[in-house]
Amino acid sequence: MIELKHLKTLHALSQHGSLAATAIHLHQTQSALSHQFSDLEHRLGFKLFVRKSQPLRFTPQGEVLLQLAQQILPLVKDAMRTCSEPGVSTLRIAIECHSCIQWLTPALKRFRETWPQVAVDFKSGVTFEPQPELLTRELDIVMTSDILDEQALHYTPLFDYEVRLIVSNDHPLANKLHITAQDLIDETLLIYPVQRHRFDIWRHFLQPAGVSPSIKTVDNTLLLIQMVAAKMGIAALPHWAVDSFERQGLIVTKTLGEGLWSRLYAACREGEQRQPAIESFTRAAGQHAVEHLSYVKPVRGSSIDVPTATRQSNLHPC
């Protein structure tokens, strides 16, 4: 069976006029190239060109395949060029946490410098679950810490971050060295209006200890911080997301137990993670976060792929 590599070799032979010149062009030995043609001719059942002819002369069958190469190779080149360019004019991105926007905005600027022809449409919120919309092609990228057990989705790790307890400056826990789950049993935990099992502090800190504090939902990050500062409750948020508030002296952050760490991912449809625009945006977002956000860590040993077999259930980044 004739293959694309054979058509490329035939075309190169027609361009360079001899086996010796073609071998040099293809970075092969003349003997290896001659053997390749002999093997192909044996499989096809006919000769492709007349050996030792000056200039090199193709047989009628060789001329047919050369014409095929001249037709097919430009089409392949155009197709590969199309695959290397963004297939859509808009990249639709969803964010599961309001606080993500503060670092995605400058990351977007970096992306637009490279891809000015691609518009970016943001959808953010804490009351919706956007990952299923990847499967219906309503979204292209979802920034999330949730990993669904869904074979059709791919997760690219962006960075690791610590979830910290947020309390007011004069809260009794503000001066406590080590925070345990039991310390929170009589507190009011302020969370975004999503299921509590999606939060790292609930699943990995409170639930294992059998602690269930009262819950109050708040759908705005700034309001949540103000409520914490007013001693209306406590919260658990990524350290990088509340760093500016802590530096202003509005709140105090504390380590939960030995440290509660999570990972943020860029989710997309399986097979599309290598599309140039998606890959470029993902890299720009991850690199900008690591370079500019306080208290985040680059992902070690797995900069791109998260194999399905090793996926674990992480939770909501907020």
Side-chain angles (χ1 to χ4, degrees), residues 21-318:
T22 303
I24 293 173
H25 173 73
L26 297 176
H27 305 289
Q28 298 182 27
T29 64
Q30 183 174 343
S31 176
L33 187 61
S34 178
H35 179 76
Q36 177 184 330
F37 274 118
S38 296
D39 180 66
L40 177 61
E41 289 173 334
H42 176 74
R43 285 192 286 154
L44 293 175
F46 51 77
K47 296 293 183 180
L48 295 172
F49 60 93
V50 179
R51 263 62 170 181
K52 299 181 180 180
S53 57
Q54 292 293 335
L56 185 142
R57 180 165 53 86
F58 284 89
T59 65
Q61 295 92 333
E63 289 286 356
V64 171
L65 293 183
L66 178 59
Q67 291 179 14
L68 178 64
Q70 293 169 341
Q71 295 172 359
I72 293 297
L73 293 179
L75 295 177
V76 172
K77 184 177 180 180
D78 290 343
M80 294 304 298
R81 183 185 300 112
T82 299
C83 290
S84 299
E85 296 174 352
V88 296
S89 59
T90 301
L91 200 59
R92 298 158 299 177
I93 301 172
I95 312 163
E96 288 189 328
C97 175
H98 286 161
S99 57
C100 292
I101 296 176
Q102 64 181 268
W103 65 269
L104 272 182
T105 300
L108 171 61
K109 181 180 179 181
R110 175 185 291 189
F111 171 78
R112 291 297 299 275
E113 291 173 353
T114 307
W115 298 90
Q117 73 275 36
V118 178
V120 177
D121 182 26
F122 278 113
K123 181 178 181 182
S124 65
V126 295
T127 59
F128 77 113
E129 298 183 28
Q131 292 194 57
E133 295 187 22
L134 287 172
L135 301 176
T136 60
R137 310 192 77 84
E138 296 177 53
L139 293 172
D140 301 303
I141 300 175
V142 173
M143 318 300 284
T144 181
S145 283
D146 290 337
I147 294 184
L148 302 182
D149 187 18
E150 172 56 62
Q151 299 290 327
L153 297 181
H154 177 92
Y155 295 83
T156 299
L158 298 177
F159 59 84
D160 292 337
Y161 61 91
E162 184 183 6
V163 177
R164 303 270 289 188
L165 182 69
I166 315 301
V167 299
S168 64
N169 293 327
D170 55 351
H171 193 283
L173 295 178
N175 296 317
K176 196 173 190 298
L177 186 60
H178 297 289
I179 304 297
T180 67
Q182 294 298 325
D183 291 328
L184 310 185
I185 194 168
D186 296 322
E187 300 290 338
T188 298
L189 181 64
L190 307 177
I191 65 173
Y192 294 119
V194 297
Q195 300 93 331
R196 62 186 182 182
H197 71 265
R198 295 182 63 190
F199 294 91
D200 294 313
I201 187 174
W202 186 267
R203 183 167 182 176
H204 298 300
F205 190 71
L206 297 173
Q207 192 174 45
V211 174
S212 182
S214 61
I215 299 292
K216 184 176 180 62
T217 60
V218 184
D219 62 3
N220 180 279
T221 301
L222 182 58
L223 177 59
L224 186 149
I225 294 296
Q226 292 173 338
M227 292 176 67
V228 169
K231 297 182 66 174
M232 299 174 65
I234 61 174
L237 294 171
H239 200 179
W240 57 266
V242 298
D243 174 49
S244 62
F245 301 113
E246 187 175 26
R247 285 189 282 105
Q248 294 174 52
L250 298 176
I251 46 93
V252 172
T253 70
K254 307 294 293 185
T255 300
L256 289 162
E258 298 299 318
L260 182 58
W261 284 82
S262 190
R263 179 169 293 176
L264 192 68
Y265 297 90
C268 67
R269 287 175 290 277
E270 184 66 60
E272 296 185 8
Q273 64 270 19
R274 297 294 187 184
Q275 287 191 2
I278 290 178
E279 185 176 30
S280 180
F281 181 86
T282 300
R283 290 191 181 280
Q287 289 172 1
H288 180 84
V290 170
E291 292 170 3
H292 298 282
L293 289 182
S294 302
Y295 310 112
V296 304
K297 296 179 180 180
V299 177
R300 300 297 183 186
S302 180
S303 60
I304 293 296
D305 295 326
V306 184
T308 301
T310 61
R311 290 178 183 172
Q312 297 178 351
S313 179
N314 290 330
L315 297 175
H316 199 279
C318 297

